[in-house]
Amino acid sequence: MLDDPVRRRPGVELAVVREALRRQVEERPGGIEVTVRVRRDRLDLFARLMVPYLPNSSRTTARARG
């Protein structure tokens, strides 16, 4: 922390900057695609822990069982 006061550039409105940052965060594409390798002896544990957080979890569970 500095004792120096914060100075905004002329013409910059905090509300406008905040709104632009909010839109960037909320409107960005969601999710990423990930490929995971799991040892066969840990597959059941992985499925129990992670499937609730994955899209298409019923498909993932079926693949995990196979």
Side-chain angles (χ1 to χ4, degrees), residues 37-51:
R37 293 178 61 173
V38 180
R39 290 187 351 213
R40 189 175 299 273
D41 62 331
R42 298 291 186 179
L43 196 53
D44 185 53
L45 176 63
F46 174 81
R48 283 184 287 149
L49 293 174
M50 299 309 297
V51 166

Side-chain angles (χ1 to χ4, degrees), residues 21-33:
L21 290 171
R22 184 197 62 76
R23 271 189 273 116
Q24 285 178 1
V25 169
E26 292 179 0
E27 295 174 4
R28 67 179 170 209
I32 58 172
E33 186 172 323

